[in-house]
């Protein structure tokens, strides 16, 4: 696998213990516990971790800032929502954290529905939601790279706005990267023009290949004026010492999901999300697709990255990830539970096969 590929993990940031089968330990969401995850990521070869967002979760930006302060190389991929944040306020907060951490901030822009009324937001239909997201991303990028910005859009306005501290250019990195997901036509048009990295859920190779080709064509059609769009994969990787042990454990996990009716796995179960529905429909094609893409979790409540799993030995899973890399995927956000022990196992067994 190319040394240009980057490997991140996932920190659940959830008030309820046992997220997706995680160990339900006391103080599971304390700063000390989350710091142990972030430091383990540093020690076992990972670049950083995605930190999830949602009104029912602790504030993601605060958690990311706290973990960054307790680490030295850990890079938080901070999930944020337009509407929860105003562009200038967010641009300033992110620029400050980027300055304090020496350029370790990454941003995941989330446009899916949330409990908007709880934090005073409102939005219209899908077209409205993604139009606002597009305007948000364009304005934040300008605030990070230009002085005295004046902008009057359909959703946001600023006048003579200069964000300080200024984002420091570091090699090819002009500002924190915008990661973005979404499989609808409206979402893909935003990604093609505004995102730095398009994240895919764990679809089969043929589906990812088709989406990459479509996004590249859209970038040309819509006259993208940014560096070429990069691509990422967010997926569960269930790795064990042998192929047989991995499948035994995977099937046992799915049996427990069936027994508990998916308790702890439902945080992405929204029928209106096009990308999520694509994942949930995959099991109709078979319980195992490609070589080792396990779709059965989607029958019983696996949401988002928990819907499909790459299952096998470290060699099996590395072989599958290389096939995604051959399509042009360079950003990988992996996870399995228990999160902390799997950070160590997969960092020690899987990453050396991919980063050597």
């Amino acid at each position: 696998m190319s040394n240009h590929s980057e490997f991140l993990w996932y920190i659940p940031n959830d008030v309820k213990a046992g997220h997706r089968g995680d160990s339900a330990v006391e103080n599971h969401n304390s700063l000390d516990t989350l710091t142990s995850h972030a430091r383990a990521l540093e020690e076992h070869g990972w670049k950083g971790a995605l930190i999830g967002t949602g009104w029912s979760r602790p504030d993601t930006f605060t958690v990311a800032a706290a973990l960054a302060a307790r680490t030295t190389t850990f890079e938080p991929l901070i999930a944020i929502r337009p509407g929860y944040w105003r562009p200038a306020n967010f641009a300033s907060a992110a620029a400050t954290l980027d300055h304090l951490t020496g350029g370790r901030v990454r941003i995941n822009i989330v446009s899916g529905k949330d409990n908007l009324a709880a934090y005073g937001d409102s939005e219209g239909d899908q077209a409205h939601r993604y139009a606002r997201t597009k305007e948000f991303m364009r304005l934040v990028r300008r605030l990070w790279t230009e002085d005295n910005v004046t902008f009057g859009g359909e959703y946001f306005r600023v006048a003579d706005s200069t964000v300080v501290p200024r984002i420091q250019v570091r090699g090819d990195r002009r500002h924190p990267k915008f990661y973005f997901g979404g499989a609808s036509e409206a979402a893909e048009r935003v990604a093609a023009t505004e995102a730095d990295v398009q994240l895919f859920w764990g679809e089969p190779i043929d589906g990812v290949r088709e989406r990459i080709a479509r996004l590249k064509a859209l970038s040309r059609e819509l006259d993208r004026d940014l560096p070429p769009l990069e691509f990422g994969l967010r997926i569960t990787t269930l790795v064990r010492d042998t192929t047989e042990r991995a499948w035994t454990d995977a099937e046992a996990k799915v049996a427990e999901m069936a027994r508990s009716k998916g308790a702890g796995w439902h945080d992405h179960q929204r029928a209106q999300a096009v990308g999520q529905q694509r994942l949930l429909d995959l099991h109709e094609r078979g319980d195992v697709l490609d070589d080792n893409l396990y779709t059965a979790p989607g029958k019983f409540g696996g949401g988002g990255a928990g819907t499909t799993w790459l299952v096998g030995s470290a060699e099996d899973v590395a072989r599958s990830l290389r096939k995604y890399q051959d399509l042009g995927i360079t950003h990988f956000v992996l996870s399995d539970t228990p999160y902390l022990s799997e950070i160590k196992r997969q960092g020690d067994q899987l990453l050396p096969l991919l980063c050597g």
Side-chain angles (χ1 to χ4, degrees):
M1 173 148 316
S2 167
N3 288 329
H4 295 301
S5 296
E6 296 183 338
F7 295 89
L8 290 85
W9 192 252
Y10 175 73
I11 290 179
N13 183 35
D14 203 303
V15 295
K16 297 178 181 178
H19 182 265
R20 292 184 181 163
D22 195 18
S23 300
V25 298
E26 187 176 1
N27 297 321
H28 74 102
N29 208 43
S30 70
L31 181 55
D32 284 345
T33 298
L34 296 179
T35 298
S36 72
H37 288 224
R39 288 179 176 166
L41 288 163
E42 290 184 318
E43 294 164 4
H44 293 270
W46 302 91
K47 193 78 171 176
L50 170 64
I51 305 176
T53 190
W55 183 248
S56 61
R57 293 178 171 183
D59 180 72
T60 308
F61 202 95
T62 304
V63 171
L67 295 182
R70 286 192 164 198
T71 53
T72 56
T73 62
F74 169 79
E75 298 189 14
L77 175 51
I78 308 169
I80 68 105
R81 293 176 182 274
Y84 182 90
W85 288 89
R86 300 288 294 178
N89 177 232
F90 171 72
S92 175
T96 299
L97 186 57
D98 200 63
H99 166 71
L100 294 174
T101 61
R104 287 192 273 145
V105 172
R106 301 166 184 240
I107 304 300
N108 180 31
I109 301 290
V110 180
S111 288
K113 290 184 177 296
D114 194 18
N115 188 0
L116 305 178
Y119 53 85
D121 189 24
S122 61
E123 60 186 23
D125 58 14
Q126 182 189 71
H128 176 282
R129 184 167 74 252
Y130 282 107
R132 184 175 72 166
T133 295
K134 175 180 171 67
E135 192 170 289
F136 181 94
M137 295 168 74
R138 176 63 51 150
L139 177 53
V140 170
R141 187 180 275 107
R142 285 191 62 191
L143 290 165
W144 280 340
T145 58
E146 301 176 23
D147 296 329
N148 306 313
V149 175
T150 295
F151 176 84
E154 185 176 353
Y155 307 98
F156 305 111
R157 290 178 170 273
V158 297
D160 196 24
S161 181
T162 300
V163 166
V164 292
R166 302 303 291 154
I167 295 284
Q168 181 179 338
V169 175
R170 301 170 187 274
D172 294 334
R173 181 189 186 267
R174 297 183 63 211
H175 56 74
K177 284 186 176 179
F178 281 142
Y179 291 66
F180 185 72
S184 67
E185 180 181 357
E188 289 190 340
R189 292 178 75 86
V190 174
T193 55
E194 303 300 330
D196 296 305
V197 181
Q198 167 72 37
L199 280 176
F200 302 120
W201 297 122
E203 293 189 45
I205 291 291
D206 57 356
V208 173
R209 179 188 292 112
E210 182 255 338
R211 291 196 61 202
I212 288 175
R214 185 165 64 249
L215 283 160
K216 287 182 175 180
L218 267 177
S219 293
R220 294 188 295 269
E221 176 188 328
L222 300 175
D223 295 324
R224 178 183 173 91
D225 59 0
L226 301 171
L229 182 63
E230 301 172 42
F231 303 101
L233 183 71
R234 170 74 185 102
I235 193 169
T236 293
T237 44
L238 194 152
V239 174
R240 298 294 184 268
D241 291 341
T242 67
T243 303
E244 294 75 17
R245 180 77 256 173
W247 280 106
T248 297
D249 287 0
E251 290 166 358
K253 275 194 173 189
V254 168
E256 175 59 24
M257 290 171 65
R259 186 198 66 76
S260 66
K261 299 181 180 179
W265 291 76
H266 289 291
D267 53 339
H268 283 279
Q269 286 265 35
R270 299 186 181 94
Q272 69 270 22
V274 173
Q276 178 60 64
Q277 194 59 54
R278 283 168 65 108
L279 281 190
L280 293 172
D281 291 344
L282 284 175
H283 68 78
E284 297 176 2
R285 292 169 52 182
D287 280 354
V288 181
L289 302 179
D290 294 342
D291 297 323
N292 57 337
L293 184 67
Y294 195 32
T295 68
K299 298 178 183 179
F300 305 110
T307 312
T308 57
W309 309 345
L310 286 176
V311 176
S313 66
E315 292 78 9
D316 296 334
V317 174
R319 189 179 308 115
S320 294
L321 291 175
R322 289 191 193 100
K323 292 180 181 180
Y324 288 100
Q325 194 268 345
D326 288 343
L327 298 181
I329 302 289
T330 54
H331 299 259
F332 294 86
V333 184
L334 311 179
S335 65
D336 191 24
T337 56
Y339 290 110
L340 183 57
S341 60
E342 289 305 311
I343 286 170
K344 299 172 183 178
R345 184 210 302 268
Q346 297 194 31
D348 294 346
Q349 295 183 13
L350 179 63
L351 292 190
L353 301 177
L354 300 168
C355 301

